Amino acid sequence: MNMIIKAMVSTALIISLIASCGLLVAMVSTTELRIAFVQTGHRPERLVNEFGTSVDMFERFLNVKIQTLYKPCDKEELPSVEELNEACDLLIIPGASIPIEKTTLKWVFDLQALVNNPKRRFWVFGVCFGHQLVGMAYGFRVKPMENGGEFGVYTIDTTDCISSITESLTVVESHRRTVVSPPGSSTSGKMELHVWARNENGIQGFVSRKHKIFTCQFHPDYTVEYLLASTTVKEFTDEEKRAMLSARIDNHLVAERLKKLVYA
């Protein structure tokens, strides 16, 4: 009889633990980041019809819902840093066809000031143009690439700033400009961002827990199919297309890294 009672108690404890774990998982899974997105331009209708908007592509890439959209490219005023602190946990700055190193657009300078504002409490995730904007905000330099740009599938060297593992990623690139450190300035002044990814053409990613920054020069929001449909500056051979379409793109690893940083 005692053995039966003990077994019943043990079973009850196990059921209680399972229920508690289930509740914990449910609590974690329902935790939703407040995400805002800066629209930096407009895509051709044919691409939107086939692949969705830039917001749609980032939502698929990150498996999240973007709640707030800001449109400075349509002459909307950007909110203040105090307003953004209350509105979001993560601000996404995507790509744009803007030569950032010589632009005179006021909203671009306003966005740089927001990124580098010491009162900012939300994370910033910059991709391509967004990566370049963040770099310039923290004292790095952007310049046109001597080889005309990177368009296609590339392997980049990375340092995993979460677990300190050195590895590489296979990514989709589509850009004509690159971020570099000014001569003699890589460790001075306000250049407090860690380079987590690079290749022979320049810096491919910044990260800083202190400044709540994570960036990619490459496009984790792109699929190879989107790249092939959108790129007009380079002709790919059939063999190149087959090779890119069969490549295993590591977008999911980038999403995991970003979420680990923001949830930490």
Side-chain angles (χ1 to χ4, degrees):
M1 179 65 71
N2 287 338
M3 291 178 64
I4 294 174
I5 293 173
K6 288 180 180 179
M8 291 174 65
V9 171
S10 299
T11 302
L13 286 172
I14 291 170
I15 292 172
S16 176
L17 284 170
I18 291 173
S20 299
C21 290
L23 177 61
L24 179 60
V25 170
M27 290 173 62
V28 171
S29 64
T30 55
T31 301
E32 188 175 15
L33 287 178
R34 298 172 302 159
I35 303 176
F37 191 91
V38 179
Q39 187 167 317
T40 56
H42 297 279
R43 291 178 173 174
E45 186 176 355
R46 67 177 182 84
L47 293 176
V48 173
N49 290 339
E50 185 174 356
F51 299 97
T53 65
S54 183
V55 169
D56 294 331
M57 291 176 64
F58 270 89
E59 287 185 337
R60 288 196 296 269
F61 149 58
L62 290 170
N63 192 26
V64 296
K65 180 66 177 175
I66 293 170
Q67 296 92 347
T68 309
L69 179 63
Y70 301 114
K71 301 179 180 179
C73 63
D74 291 338
K75 299 184 179 179
E76 283 186 7
E77 284 291 322
L78 286 165
S80 67
V81 69
E82 290 82 8
E83 291 170 325
L84 281 168
N85 282 337
E86 296 301 319
C88 68
D89 305 301
L90 174 66
L91 181 70
I92 298 174
I93 307 174
S97 56
I98 297 172
I100 191 170
E101 77 281 6
K102 57 184 180 182
T103 187
T104 58
L105 292 170
K106 179 180 179 298
W107 68 262
V108 174
F109 294 102
D110 291 343
L111 194 53
Q112 284 184 351
L114 273 175
V115 167
N116 203 22
N117 192 312
K119 296 180 181 179
R120 176 175 58 80
R121 297 197 304 268
F122 52 90
W123 276 84
V124 171
F125 177 39
V127 171
C128 198
F129 165 83
H131 161 77
Q132 296 165 9
L133 183 143
V134 169
M136 290 185 68
Y138 282 89
F140 289 79
R141 185 166 59 96
V142 176
K143 68 173 186 176
M145 296 175 65
E146 295 178 0
N147 62 2
E150 292 178 311
F151 299 91
V153 173
Y154 291 77
T155 299
I156 60 172
D157 297 321
T158 73
T159 299
D160 190 323
C161 301
I162 297 167
S163 58
S164 300
I165 299 172
T166 301
E167 57 182 39
S168 63
L169 292 175
T170 301
V171 300
V172 176
E173 302 267 20
S174 179
H175 62 103
R176 298 172 183 264
R177 290 170 176 79
T178 189
V179 179
V180 295
S181 302
S185 305
S186 59
T187 58
S188 66
K190 59 182 180 182
M191 300 177 67
E192 302 173 12
L193 305 181
H194 177 77
V195 176
W196 75 268
R198 67 168 66 247
N199 67 3
E200 66 275 9
N201 291 315
I203 296 168
Q204 290 282 335
F206 292 118
V207 67
S208 171
R209 287 187 176 88
K210 175 182 177 182
H211 297 293
K212 295 189 173 182
I213 292 290
F214 187 72
T215 73
C216 306
Q217 176 61 80
F218 56 95
H219 276 276
D221 53 313
Y222 278 19
T223 61
V224 172
E225 289 82 358
Y226 181 83
L227 173 75
L228 293 175
S230 62
T231 300
T232 59
V233 297
K234 180 177 179 179
E235 289 288 335
F236 296 104
T237 66
D238 289 342
E239 185 177 351
E240 287 174 329
K241 291 177 182 178
R242 285 193 294 271
M244 288 192 293
L245 288 167
S246 65
R248 183 179 185 274
I249 308 301
D250 292 320
N251 291 346
H252 64 291
L253 296 179
V254 179
E256 289 172 8
R257 290 183 184 195
L258 174 61
K259 288 179 179 180
K260 284 181 181 179
L261 287 167
V262 177
Y263 276 115

